Amino acid sequence: MKRLGMRGRLWVAVALVLVLLGGVAWYRLLREEPLPYTSDVDYFKYGSVGVEANSGLPFAVWRVLPEVFGDLIDRKGGYAAFGFVREPGQPQPIGLPVETVGFPRVGLNCGLCHVGSVREQPTAPRRIVLGAPNSTLDLQRYFRFLFAAASDERFRPDVLIPAIEVGQPLSFLDRLQLRFLVIPQFRSGLLDQKRQLWWMDTAPDWGPGRVDPFNPAKVQLVHLPPDGTIGAARMLPLWNWNARSNFGLHRDGLNTSLTEIFLNSGIGNGASNRSINRVALGRLQKWVSELKPPAYPFAIDEALAARGEATWRQHCADCHAFGGAKTGQPIPIDEVGTDRHRFDSWTTQARDGFNGLDDYDWRYTHFRKTAGYVAQALDGLWARAPYLHNGSVPNLADLLQSPDKRPATFVAGYDVYDQQRVGFVSDGADARAQGRLFDTRLPGNGNGGHLYGTGLPEPDKRALLEYLKTL
Ligand code: HEC
Ligand code: HEC
């Protein structure tokens, strides 16, 4: 064998150093340590669907933002001010998984918006309602906090690294990585998002329990220009999908394939074609298909409810019971008569754009434009308040009133239950301190339409209301 000359040895040394550096870089930036959740329930609440590797936020920095930028949040409690649902003893709120990809990153998952909470009174413990639409989460306010922090001159290594080091000493390499890579990238990523989502500020706030589900994706994934439409909508429940075959999905039934909506939700939440965890999504899809809706957790007057069932059969079941002729299908917008902004926010351009996406290992073929809002099957109805696609009616008693008697403003985002009116408590000092005022006079927030049942005699309404608790 020929011995290496001086030059050859130098090259070997350089190559070794490069391999070593590459290994360190891989370890510190890309190494993936999947979350170990074994039960489906824990996976739904805390597991990763593949968002973190693509758009996760560096946990170490994220954790200290509420301390450093406390003045940018208008309430006490740090991240709790944004209404995340939390379980005692858990390090993270439901829906914000922390997964290590090089370093721990905070992403989000389906449980963030599809797990709710309810309390019997303000002093009672919170019960977690799996699959229920989250009614407290104010996601837009959370985004705006992150954007405001990134725009602030304090968002720099000199301020953030000392805050991170309190109680958690960092190594020299950690500090180097934070200073030159993590913090600058985190900041510029947030500022990019802020720039792409500028048009959000031209529409009324989403408020608690609502997000605009498709306008961000129309702009960021399909690259359509912002079109000025208002799409804010209540989250929907994720349960009992075996009973929902052939139902229109989403508020306006814009798709009919649960698999496509699962993929699209994963991408919409920040996963990429490479990072999306399709195995996890398949597992969760199976799990929500079998998940039963939650039973009403308080007392029910069974005799009264039994009388109400007759009214339900006569006036509602055709559109809302499993097996009803129109259940799960879109009802023409002029017939249902509710606020049309969310309906109009899904355009034929959006439909064509999504069906035309070729960035992924799959193609969408089921996006469509329908004629109105879907008449949902109403299982677990008690846990879906506030009601209608835009959350404009706080409780079922109010929904059975003609629109002029429904409250023009109320508090949304509180999770103490109102057993009389069937929905969350929507007035009073404690509700105001924890929720946010919802104004039905703003565009997209209208509480008109859906007159079904509003003309019933009072005793029939009482009985129907009791029956609705049993769904
Ligand atoms: C940021 C909040 C948010 C997150 C996170 C989220 N969703 Fe949703 N989801 C919504 C909203 C809001 C709707 C209803 C919006 C509409 O149609 O106007 C919805 C609707 C759905 C629907 C349609 C339900 C029906 O009855 O038609 C499915 C299915 C769904 N989501 C699946 C998922 C999956 C799977 C994930 C995780 C990959 C996920 N969602 C994550 C907010 C969220
Ligand atoms: C012709 C079909 C039709 C009939 C009949 C009908 N509804 Fe509806 N319902 C709808 C549609 C469509 C929506 C969605 C409207 C929206 O979200 O803007 C809806 C929404 C609702 C909601 C809100 C669900 C949610 O996710 O917030 C409730 C509650 C409801 N209906 C109860 C009833 C009751 C009770 C009756 C009988 C008195 C009834 N509906 C009769 C079509 C119907």
Side-chain angles (χ1 to χ4, degrees), residues 251 315-316 319-320 338 373 387-389 396 399 450 452:
R251 291 289 176 179
H315 294 276
C316 324
C319 288
H320 289 306
T338 51
Y373 292 119
Y387 296 100
L388 295 182
H389 72 276
L396 293 176
L399 186 65
H450 198 283
Y452 315 105

Side-chain angles (χ1 to χ4, degrees), residues 44 49 95 108-114 137 139 143 206 209-214 231-238 241 244 247-254 258 261-267 269 281 284 288 342 374 376 384 389:
F44 187 64
V49 294
L108 48 90
N109 70 18
C110 319
L112 179 66
C113 298
H114 295 288
L137 174 67
L139 196 67
F143 287 162
W206 300 350
R210 304 198 310 175
V211 302
D212 187 326
F214 287 99
R234 265 303 273 141
M235 285 77 158
L236 275 161
L238 276 190
W241 270 92
R244 294 181 142 74
F247 279 23
L249 283 137
H250 277 286
R251 291 289 176 179
D252 52 349
L254 50 69
L258 188 59
I261 291 303
F262 263 63
L263 288 168
N264 182 66
S265 299
I267 295 287
N269 293 165
L281 285 175
L284 294 176
V288 304
R342 163 68 185 82
V374 169
Q376 312 276 344
R384 301 171 176 222
H389 72 276

Side-chain angles (χ1 to χ4, degrees), residues 44 70-71 76 98 100 105 124 128 137-138 155 164 188 191 204 231 253 266 273 301 319 349 368 409 412 422 435 451:
F44 187 64
D71 55 315
K76 288 203 176 15
V98 180
T100 295
R105 305 182 193 219
I128 300 304
L137 174 67
D138 200 337
F155 202 108
I164 294 168
S188 68
L191 293 177
N273 183 51
D301 179 338
C319 288
Q349 290 91 321
R368 58 179 187 166
T409 61
V422 193
L451 305 181

Side-chain angles (χ1 to χ4, degrees), residues 381-465:
L381 180 60
W382 70 271
R384 301 171 176 222
Y387 296 100
L388 295 182
H389 72 276
N390 56 359
S392 59
V393 181
N395 54 59
L396 293 176
D398 286 329
L399 186 65
L400 292 175
Q401 304 273 2
S402 60
D404 58 312
K405 297 211 182 69
R406 297 171 185 165
T409 61
F410 61 91
V411 176
Y414 189 52
D415 64 354
V416 174
Y417 210 75
D418 180 342
Q419 300 177 45
Q420 252 57 55
R421 306 190 67 76
V422 193
F424 295 106
V425 171
S426 58
D427 55 16
D430 200 42
R432 275 198 299 280
Q434 291 178 45
R436 300 278 172 184
L437 197 72
F438 187 98
D439 190 341
T440 62
R441 295 161 299 197
L442 297 175
N445 288 5
N447 64 355
H450 198 283
L451 305 181
Y452 315 105
T454 57
L456 290 168
E458 213 41 55
D460 290 4
K461 280 190 190 175
R462 218 25 268 170
L464 176 60
L465 195 60

